[in-house]
Amino acid sequence: MKFRRTLLGLAAVATALATFSAGALAQSNYKAEYKLSLVLGPPTPWGMAGKIWADMVKERTQGRINIKLYPGVSLIQGDQTREFSALRQGVIDMAVGSTINWSPQIKELNLFSLPFLMPDHAAIDALTQGEVGKDIFTRLDRAGVVPLAWGENGYREVSNSKRPIKSPEDMKGMKLRVVGSPLFADTFTALGANPTQMSWADAQPALASGAVDGQENPLFMFPVLKLHNMGQKYVTTWGYVADPLIFVVNKEIWNSWTPADQAIVRQAAIDAGKEEVALARKGLVEADKPLLKEIAGFGVTVTQLTPAEREAFVKATRPVYNKWKPTVGNDLVNKAEKAIAARKK
């Protein structure tokens, strides 16, 4: 009996050692540090998305997975358009990326840049948290990355140095800096503006000197960048497009982690995404919209469009919407329109 107990004890020890060895072997493939790419760093909501995610992962994996932030897409010399390709190639391990920046590689991501598709935050949520979001994640997975959660860079509002913008006519001939996407160029051209695609590094002196009249960006950027010091005296909140963010991991990196750690990283991304969305909307969803008051406090005229005024912009950009719908995918756009129509406001 004693001999049998000894054998059972030895067997239990052997099993424990084997389990430990398997776990240790799996973790021996882990990197000492993982590179996470971001366009913006803290204290912006986008930058905080990366920091919150990295901190959660380190704590919940007890230091097995350590993540270092690389804001300014510094891993690829600041070229935002190369981020998705670099992620697939393994130059970047992880990212919280922009649907706008990744749309040249994943055409379905142009959905969120269709002019005036999403009239409110509930509409964004209806897409990212519903079947449309799942469809896009399936597409990203096929493209070679592991998508985990959604964040948000917010609605892109327009500012300028010339006059309040209340109608498309107010934009006629206005030279406006836009992101490097053909869809954005088409949208602003349809409104009679002169869209100019340039990096933000080039845009800042151009705005300050008056070589460029205006720009479009999420409003949380206005005080961060001190746009009022670059001649931006007029802001219009028109909500023409929003830019959801996506938390992703390179597939080889993902497959190198244990299933338990994969589950931790996924849940941390979901939790970080929820926190980040709240940060991105702060000051805009409250009844008194304190962020608009802060911007007005810089001596800036803030114009909020009436439904009728907004409708004039919708009508003017509808040909662009219809032109790009087949590129995004007719079925996907139809599904998005139905989800938005059925949303709970």
Side-chain angles (χ1 to χ4, degrees), residues 215-265:
Q215 57 84 55
E216 46 82 61
N217 254 312
L219 283 183
F220 69 76
M221 295 296 291
F222 201 99
V224 172
L225 296 169
K226 296 183 170 57
L227 287 172
H228 52 287
N229 291 336
M230 298 180 206
Q232 300 302 285
K233 299 300 182 187
Y234 304 95
V235 167
T236 294
T237 62
W238 60 344
Y240 84 115
V241 300
D243 182 22
L245 303 176
I246 309 175
F247 292 66
V248 302
V249 179
N250 166 275
K251 268 201 173 166
E252 285 187 20
I253 295 296
W254 180 258
N255 292 332
S256 74
W257 293 334
T258 64
D261 280 343
Q262 289 175 350
I264 289 171
V265 174

Side-chain angles (χ1 to χ4, degrees), residues 83-100:
E83 187 177 49
F84 191 80
S85 299
L87 190 62
R88 282 194 294 202
Q89 293 160 2
V91 175
I92 295 169
D93 299 323
M94 310 166 71
V96 181
S98 155
T99 54
I100 296 171

Side-chain angles (χ1 to χ4, degrees), residues 39-154:
V39 170
L40 301 175
T44 68
W46 193 342
M48 290 306 296
K51 185 179 188 310
I52 295 166
W53 190 21
D55 289 348
M56 283 181 177
V57 168
K58 184 174 184 178
E59 180 184 349
R60 295 178 187 182
T61 62
Q62 299 174 321
R64 289 188 300 277
I65 297 177
N66 295 294
I67 300 167
K68 183 176 179 180
L69 307 186
Y70 287 83
V73 275
S74 54
L75 293 168
I76 43 172
Q77 293 76 50
D79 187 351
Q80 299 175 26
T81 59
R82 285 180 48 222
E83 187 177 49
F84 191 80
S85 299
L87 190 62
R88 282 194 294 202
Q89 293 160 2
V91 175
I92 295 169
D93 299 323
M94 310 166 71
V96 181
S98 155
T99 54
I100 296 171
N101 290 343
W102 294 354
S103 62
Q105 288 84 26
I106 308 296
K107 60 183 177 59
E108 290 85 352
L109 293 178
N110 284 294
L111 173 73
F112 302 102
S113 297
L114 289 175
F116 300 99
L117 169 68
M118 299 170 287
D120 50 37
H121 289 111
I124 303 173
D125 294 340
L127 301 188
T128 60
Q129 306 306 313
E131 291 303 313
V132 169
K134 290 176 185 174
D135 287 354
I136 288 173
F137 273 19
T138 299
R139 177 69 182 89
L140 287 167
D141 186 77
R142 287 204 309 267
V145 300
V146 181
L148 303 177
W150 292 93
E152 193 172 294
N153 195 34

Side-chain angles (χ1 to χ4, degrees), residues 293-345:
K293 287 185 175 179
E294 181 185 356
I295 293 170
F298 298 133
V300 175
T301 300
V302 178
T303 300
Q304 299 180 66
L305 298 182
T306 66
E309 287 170 339
R310 187 178 183 277
E311 188 57 34
F313 287 93
V314 174
K315 187 176 179 182
T317 56
R318 201 64 190 178
V320 177
Y321 187 107
N322 293 334
K323 172 189 171 183
W324 277 83
K325 184 175 178 178
T327 300
V328 175
N330 288 320
D331 290 345
L332 184 64
V333 175
N334 290 338
K335 187 182 283 191
E337 290 170 348
K338 287 176 184 174
I340 289 168
R343 75 193 182 283
K344 293 181 180 177
K345 298 182 186 179

Side-chain angles (χ1 to χ4, degrees), residues 168-222:
E169 287 71 31
D170 293 327
M171 298 178 72
K172 289 261 187 311
M174 203 177 273
K175 194 170 184 179
L176 298 172
R177 182 264 177 181
V178 298
V179 298
S181 159
L183 176 44
F184 281 71
D186 284 355
T187 298
F188 280 82
T189 299
L191 292 168
N194 177 11
T196 304
Q197 297 177 352
M198 57 173 65
S199 71
W200 188 248
D202 292 334
Q204 292 178 75
L207 289 166
S209 69
V212 171
D213 300 318
Q215 57 84 55
E216 46 82 61
N217 254 312
L219 283 183
F220 69 76
M221 295 296 291
F222 201 99

